[in-house]
Amino acid sequence: MSAVLPDIQTEADIRALVDSFYDRVNADPLLSPVFNDVAHVNWAAHLPRMYDFWSGLLLHTNRYRGQPFARHIPLPIGSGHFQQWLHLFCRTVDALFAGPIAQEAKLRAGSIAHVFEHRMRAVNNPLSIL
């Protein structure tokens, strides 16, 4: 019999989600090089920003300030990167949580991946949106 997973409800849940997700990203052969070798992410600074970002989306805390898309423009990323990012995110949510807020997290992540991918395509090839 499997244990019932909790829903995302607290800041500790947000931290667990973000930390577990980025552990997967750092172990992923497609995404890790982008984050670590190209973007040179400062994890000590990035993770608290991501706590604030996801806390804002899921717990309505309104702490996040920033424009995340702009940081992605110079990166060599395409559809496969966004699909893998979303796959890892959803797997992380499903491994840790279940419930309406967990579903909302996956929906939000899907929307983010879709919008970022579309906008990156438009920035890198403006004629692609015609």
Side-chain angles (χ1 to χ4, degrees):
M1 182 176 199
S2 62
V4 176
L5 295 173
D7 202 355
I8 299 168
Q9 297 178 24
T10 68
E11 292 295 328
D13 295 338
I14 296 292
R15 287 180 66 100
L17 171 61
V18 169
D19 290 345
S20 296
F21 169 64
Y22 282 109
D23 285 346
R24 290 176 190 244
V25 165
N26 277 305
D28 187 80
L30 179 64
L31 298 180
S32 180
V34 175
F35 279 83
N36 294 300
D37 301 334
V38 177
H40 303 286
V41 170
N42 173 347
W43 292 105
H46 185 68
L47 291 174
R49 269 191 236 115
M50 293 300 94
Y51 304 149
D52 288 348
F53 179 79
W54 286 104
S55 179
L57 288 179
L58 302 175
L59 303 179
H60 311 290
T61 56
N62 263 344
R63 290 191 312 262
Y64 179 78
R65 300 288 180 259
Q67 297 178 339
F69 179 72
R71 293 186 166 273
H72 293 78
I73 293 172
L75 299 176
I77 53 179
S79 180
H81 294 92
F82 289 106
Q83 289 173 14
Q84 183 65 358
W85 179 90
L86 182 58
H87 172 72
L88 293 179
F89 189 87
C90 290
R91 275 188 47 207
T92 304
V93 171
D94 288 342
L96 299 173
F97 302 103
I101 299 173
Q103 285 302 112
E104 177 71 14
K106 293 187 291 184
L107 289 172
R108 295 283 188 131
S111 294
I112 291 165
H114 175 77
V115 168
F116 273 38
E117 180 181 353
H118 178 76
R119 288 182 70 192
M120 289 289 291
R121 193 175 315 128
V123 166
N124 293 323
N125 183 5
L127 298 179
S128 71
I129 60 170
L130 297 179

